Amino acid sequence: MALPVEEWRRSAARCWAVLEPALRERLAAAPLGEALRMGCGLFGPEEAALQRLCRRARTGKEPAAARFYREEGNRQFGRCCYRDAVRLYSQVCLEDIARAESHGYPDRLLPKVLLRKAECLLRLGKLQDATDTLTAVENKMTVDGIMTSPIHRMLLKKLSQLKTEIHEGSCPEPAREAHGDIQRESEIWEENGSISGASSSLSLNFSTERGRHLVASQDILPGQNLLKEKAFVSVLCPGEGDSLLLQDSSETVWDTRVTNADLYCHHCLKQLLASIPCCGCSYAKYCSQNCADVAWEQYHRTECPLGALLLTLGVFCHVALRTVLLAGFSEVSRLVEWSRDDSNKDLCNAEAGGEHPSEVLDTRAGRKVIPGCNDNGQYQSSYQAVFNLLPHVEKHSPEHKFLCMLSIVAICKKLQETGLEAAVLNGESSTTGSEQKTCGKTSDELSPELMIMAEAMLRHVLQLQCNAQAITVMQELESGDGAVVNKKPVRLATAFFPVLSLLNHSCSPNISVSFSGTAATVRASQPIPSGQEIFHCYGPHRCRMRVAERQQLLSQYFFECRCQACLDELESDVESVSMRNSFCCPSCQASMQGEEMLCCSNEACAFSVSRERLSQRLLDLQQQMEKALELLRDSKADEAIKMLLKCQIDARNFLSPEHLLMGELEDHLAQVYATLGKWQEAARHLGRSIQLVEMHHGPSSVEMGHELFKLAQILFNGFAVSEALSTIQRAEEILSVHCGPQSTQIQELQEMKTCLLELPRSILQRT
């Protein structure tokens, strides 16, 4: 949820609508600082409504919630839902004995609960963690010295059984740790002296038409590393759509649905198993005590009392606050004062399309300086670079700026009321969250220092619309028996990457971006000759949608895309994506043509129907496909196949044979047949899906690599050795270009290949 919750957006819109026209004009034209000063007086009447909304976000410590999650964990454990059980146990800090004791967990119950935790870890393949937990249980029971009761005898028996299982290795192998380092010895790298984290094969250029941008200074090969950058700031996204923590109910109900907030560390974004919670709130969770301590010192000691407010106001406001906290008041103040200096405004305005391009380049020390560079002419991944990203203040709608302004005022008022202003301005250390000072002051005015922080935060919220970078992760879908790992890209966090933000958009990019925690790696996805610009895709891709749809989506970035892909489609009047993803006539299967009203291209047919009706039919079909996947997740594979085959028949009646949804149906059928162990049938369906993926995305696309990875798993499990080896090789070639040779998928492919090559020669010859 990037923007505030819908109710707050409506409240701000009503407030804007009732303002006097003259005041609206003043607010729309005012500089950010002046708008904030006026906004402080306008926030008062809206404060009560915002407070009511914040009460729906349950971020405080609640003993009743701990009991609820423990009992729910017991239920999930009984259903063999081990992942859910471990996640819910972690709500009451069972990651080790010390934390359980420190939170007042009954000493006499620790052995039983820890044995359950050990069994969950064992079923998940975390053998070392399970062994450590069993050792802790054994030590605890020895210290207690009471081994004769029936309960203790039962615990000892269970302890012995688990130790035997670990010794015999009857459970899955330990899961591999994620590869956190983005720089590998096997990858040649020479860093650029002028652009931090960039390859020496790139140069930073500037023009009034394209702004700052990166260009190849030498010929670049596919797969070559171009940029390695750690996010200046990142904030975990709670989940898709509105936060699942926000409940519009007066009843005491705790949500047991899994979100990103439960699965990943809130500081380093590493995947969690047994999380370490914040001492002051129930929302923030970390993978280690070190991450918890670093987060507390850098930003969370301020954010902790604001948890409910930040969830209500959305991720963009949260990123803005964390950005200024990381930068510190001194640096924020220096740059805000710099931006207010009239002599520096042309430097910013010209890049946004100002009228004085000759004044863009400064002449300090007799050198030309590109905006965002330091005094030495270097562009670094620093707060100065973040601050110089374009906010496009004049291009945002007045209503949107008003919403952002009120939201930032709300945060600053809360900081002032809770006595956190001094900590924000001075970066002083404070006590744990449970001991935060709550004394503060209330006033319609913000202090001059807090006003400076507010101005920077408002600037960052406006910047994020064009400069927010989604950190994505390939997340495993919970379906089937695990023989074939099915993954999809999921937005994990929103971040500022000041160097990555230098890349302009193209609907046909020449790079791929992958993430490891908070770090991004950019690789060339195709040969890039010297002198060619490096292009990123902001979302709308030529393979996925028509040029008109792409232009509409890109309007949020305040530019009209003139990339080569758009120009080619506009000039040729042939939209291949539209043709491939078009509807066909339900009567004769010929293609349908038109805009609002579609007519059959077969003159002898003359069938016509509204686009809206067929679009609704497509939506209904997608919902049926999702129901089929739900059946698969509930281990009802036979019912899932029947529903998917029915969907396939329906789809053929109104979708073109090349429609991407036809490929998705084949992919889902392959997934179900793989669950049943029908490997040949699964491979046949996935082969059809791959044909459509190649048609839409190209033979070297990352989408093709992911599909080949799934096919390799199916062929591997089906013992089709020669086909599996050739598929593994193709998948490796593609994924190493897009994801790097050290990615998790490449490692899995290499393990499959090693296993197959170690088979006896007699078996290899038969296959």
Side-chain angles (χ1 to χ4, degrees):
M1 186 177 63
L3 296 176
V5 295
E6 178 64 30
E7 294 90 335
W8 177 239
R9 297 201 296 268
R10 289 200 298 265
S11 180
R14 287 193 296 268
C15 180
W16 172 263
V18 299
L19 294 179
E20 293 292 332
L23 180 55
R24 288 204 298 264
E25 290 181 12
R26 284 176 55 204
L27 281 167
L32 298 183
E34 181 61 29
L36 284 162
R37 274 185 283 274
M38 289 188 282
C40 287
L42 298 171
F43 174 68
E46 308 303 320
E47 187 172 7
L50 184 57
Q51 288 176 347
R52 285 194 298 272
L53 293 172
C54 290
R55 284 195 287 270
R56 292 163 42 188
R58 315 181 75 98
T59 59
K61 293 290 189 181
E62 301 181 61
R67 289 192 296 272
F68 169 81
Y69 284 119
R70 182 170 62 251
E71 293 167 2
E72 185 64 21
N74 292 338
R75 285 191 287 272
Q76 294 293 344
F77 183 89
R79 298 171 190 156
C80 299
C81 301
Y82 299 113
R83 288 186 184 275
D84 289 339
V86 169
R87 178 181 61 81
L88 292 163
Y89 286 142
S90 72
Q91 300 285 344
V92 287
C93 310
L94 294 179
E95 66 275 8
D96 55 55
I97 291 176
R99 292 198 66 83
E101 289 178 332
S102 69
H103 284 79
Y105 197 82
D107 195 64
R108 60 187 175 80
L109 297 178
L110 274 174
K112 181 179 179 181
V113 175
L114 289 173
L115 277 176
R116 289 188 172 182
K117 176 185 175 183
E119 187 166 359
C120 283
L121 292 167
L122 183 61
R123 299 294 176 251
L124 287 165
K126 300 286 185 178
L127 301 189
Q128 187 57 53
D129 289 340
T131 300
D132 294 343
T133 304
L134 289 179
T135 301
V137 175
E138 204 165 22
N139 292 340
K140 180 65 180 170
M141 294 176 69
T142 302
V143 170
D144 289 345
I146 304 174
M147 301 292 185
T148 56
S149 70
I151 293 177
H152 277 80
R153 285 199 298 269
M154 181 183 67
L155 292 177
L156 284 172
K157 181 179 179 181
K158 187 66 176 178
L159 178 66
S160 177
Q161 290 175 347
L162 292 175
K163 289 173 71 175
T164 301
E165 283 193 57
I166 293 176
H167 179 72
E168 293 176 351
S170 59
C171 290
E173 289 299 312
R176 286 185 299 276
E177 292 295 324
H179 299 280
D181 297 333
I182 61 171
Q183 184 168 347
R184 305 290 175 176
E185 292 180 359
S186 60
E187 299 177 358
I188 300 174
W189 179 259
E190 183 180 349
E191 189 163 344
N192 196 300
S194 301
I195 314 164
S196 66
S199 163
S200 58
S201 61
L202 302 180
S203 63
L204 175 58
N205 288 12
F206 181 90
S207 73
T208 53
E209 180 183 354
R210 307 202 60 76
R212 294 167 291 186
H213 57 282
L214 296 181
V215 174
S217 56
Q218 62 188 55
D219 292 344
I220 295 172
L221 299 174
Q224 186 172 330
N225 282 344
L226 303 180
L227 174 64
K228 302 169 184 176
E229 182 182 18
K230 186 175 181 180
F232 179 82
V233 61
S234 62
V235 171
L236 189 73
C237 300
E240 297 181 4
D242 285 352
S243 169
L244 296 179
L245 293 175
L246 299 175
Q247 302 290 335
D248 191 12
S249 172
S250 58
E251 298 180 8
T252 303
V253 177
W254 290 284
D255 203 327
T256 60
R257 288 174 290 181
V258 182
T259 70
N260 287 344
D262 304 304
L263 298 174
Y264 297 92
C265 176
H266 288 222
H267 179 67
C268 72
L269 304 184
K270 179 181 177 181
Q271 193 162 7
L272 295 175
L273 180 58
S275 61
I276 294 180
C278 169
C279 294
C281 69
S282 62
Y283 179 67
K285 305 173 186 69
Y286 304 97
C287 64
S288 66
Q289 190 61 50
N290 180 64
C291 271
D293 292 342
V294 171
W296 183 262
E297 286 303 314
Q298 291 185 348
Y299 53 82
H300 191 62
R301 61 189 169 91
T302 302
E303 296 177 356
C304 188
L306 275 62
L309 177 63
L310 294 174
L311 284 173
T312 302
L313 295 181
V315 171
F316 279 8
C317 284
H318 198 162
V319 172
L321 173 62
R322 189 171 294 181
T323 300
V324 298
L325 292 175
L326 289 171
F329 176 70
S330 177
E331 182 68 358
V332 171
S333 177
R334 180 182 73 83
L335 288 167
V336 168
E337 293 297 338
W338 174 87
S339 68
R340 292 172 177 174
D341 188 340
D342 290 338
S343 64
N344 293 319
K345 289 184 178 178
D346 288 335
L347 199 65
C348 304
N349 293 339
E351 188 182 10
E355 299 178 355
H356 306 287
S358 61
E359 298 177 14
V360 173
L361 303 179
D362 200 352
T363 56
R364 288 170 292 180
R367 293 181 292 101
K368 294 182 176 180
V369 178
I370 294 177
C373 292
N374 61 22
D375 291 339
N376 296 321
Q378 296 174 319
Y379 191 93
Q380 297 179 321
S381 186
S382 63
Y383 182 65
Q384 179 169 323
V386 171
F387 192 87
N388 276 277
L389 297 173
L390 292 176
H392 294 292
V393 175
E394 73 289 347
K395 295 180 181 178
H396 289 277
S397 71
E399 294 84 356
H400 178 71
K401 285 191 289 187
F402 184 72
L403 167 67
C404 296
M405 179 268 294
L406 280 186
S407 300
I408 296 303
V409 168
I411 293 174
C412 292
K413 290 276 190 180
K414 188 70 173 179
L415 291 172
Q416 195 166 261
E417 291 168 8
T418 53
L420 291 168
E421 181 179 355
V424 172
L425 301 180
N426 302 322
E428 63 185 27
S429 180
S430 64
T431 54
T432 59
S434 57
E435 300 171 347
Q436 279 277 9
K437 296 179 181 179
T438 57
C439 58
K441 58 182 180 179
T442 59
S443 171
D444 286 340
E445 298 290 334
L446 297 177
S447 68
E449 294 81 9
L450 203 52
M451 185 65 74
I452 288 175
M453 298 294 271
E455 184 173 339
M457 289 166 60
L458 181 54
R459 179 186 183 92
H460 297 323
V461 171
L462 297 177
Q463 286 173 329
L464 282 164
Q465 180 159 322
C466 297
N467 293 285
Q469 173 64 54
I471 295 178
T472 59
V473 63
M474 294 299 294
Q475 199 169 86
E476 185 175 337
L477 301 177
E478 294 184 4
S479 58
D481 61 357
V484 176
V485 179
N486 195 18
K487 298 182 178 182
K488 68 172 183 177
V490 174
R491 187 183 188 118
L492 180 59
T494 297
F496 268 135
F497 287 92
V499 180
L500 182 56
S501 292
L502 293 172
L503 300 183
N504 283 326
H505 166 81
S506 171
C507 298
S508 182
N510 50 18
I511 56 100
S512 284
V513 183
S514 59
F515 299 93
S516 178
T518 61
T521 300
V522 176
R523 296 179 177 85
S525 59
Q526 62 190 52
I528 304 175
S530 178
Q532 186 176 103
E533 186 174 349
I534 311 301
F535 287 112
H536 187 16
C537 179
Y538 294 177
H541 196 286
R542 67 177 181 85
C543 294
R544 302 185 184 100
M545 58 186 70
R546 301 179 299 170
V547 61
E549 295 170 318
R550 301 200 304 267
Q551 295 284 359
Q552 183 177 4
L553 285 175
L554 287 168
S555 63
Q556 66 173 302
Y557 298 101
F558 306 119
F559 70 87
E560 182 181 358
C561 185
R562 305 294 293 173
C563 73
Q564 197 58 49
C566 286
L567 292 175
D568 289 346
E569 288 185 42
L570 290 170
E571 290 175 3
S572 65
D573 262 347
V574 176
E575 297 183 359
S576 55
V577 176
S578 176
M579 295 298 292
R580 291 197 297 263
N581 278 338
S582 64
F583 296 116
C584 71
C585 177
S587 178
C588 69
Q589 275 64 61
S591 62
M592 300 294 288
Q593 298 176 342
E595 291 299 328
E596 298 302 321
M597 183 60 65
L598 301 176
C599 299
C600 180
S601 59
N602 180 4
E603 295 181 359
C605 178
F607 179 84
S608 64
V609 64
S610 69
R611 180 179 293 275
E612 182 181 3
R613 182 174 177 182
L614 289 185
S615 296
Q616 183 59 49
R617 189 172 174 183
L618 178 61
L619 181 62
D620 293 342
L621 180 63
Q622 290 171 323
Q623 291 173 347
Q624 289 300 307
M625 290 166 61
E626 183 55 40
K627 288 181 181 178
L629 294 180
E630 286 290 341
L631 290 172
L632 179 59
R633 285 188 280 270
D634 292 339
S635 301
K636 299 176 181 179
D638 291 333
E639 294 180 40
I641 287 177
K642 291 179 182 178
M643 183 169 286
L644 287 172
L645 290 174
K646 184 177 181 299
C647 289
Q648 196 174 49
I649 293 172
D650 186 27
R652 287 170 179 163
N653 285 331
F654 74 104
L655 297 180
S656 67
E658 298 83 13
H659 199 287
L660 264 178
L661 198 74
M662 303 298 290
E664 290 180 30
L665 279 164
E666 296 288 358
D667 189 283
H668 295 334
L669 282 165
Q671 185 180 348
V672 182
Y673 281 116
T675 301
L676 296 173
K678 298 181 178 181
W679 306 112
Q680 289 185 345
E681 193 72 10
R684 183 170 63 85
H685 283 286
L686 194 57
R688 294 172 183 168
S689 172
I690 288 173
Q691 290 177 358
L692 290 175
V693 169
E694 182 172 4
M695 181 187 301
H696 282 266
H697 300 287
S700 301
S701 63
V702 67
E703 292 84 0
M704 188 70 172
H706 293 320
E707 288 297 294
L708 288 171
F709 175 76
K710 287 189 282 189
L711 180 60
Q713 294 176 89
I714 289 173
L715 296 171
F716 175 86
N717 283 285
F719 227 78
V721 179
S722 59
E723 294 94 332
L725 287 171
S726 62
T727 302
I728 288 171
Q729 182 176 348
R730 287 182 65 197
E732 273 189 291
E733 291 172 353
I734 295 172
L735 291 175
S736 62
V737 168
H738 294 279
C739 308
Q742 299 296 332
S743 68
T744 302
Q745 287 181 307
I746 292 293
Q747 299 302 309
E748 292 180 16
L749 288 167
Q750 291 175 347
E751 289 178 9
M752 284 191 284
K753 181 166 61 176
T754 300
C755 182
L756 292 173
L757 292 176
E758 289 176 351
L759 291 172
R761 185 178 297 275
S762 58
I763 295 179
L764 291 173
Q765 289 174 343
R766 286 204 304 270
T767 58

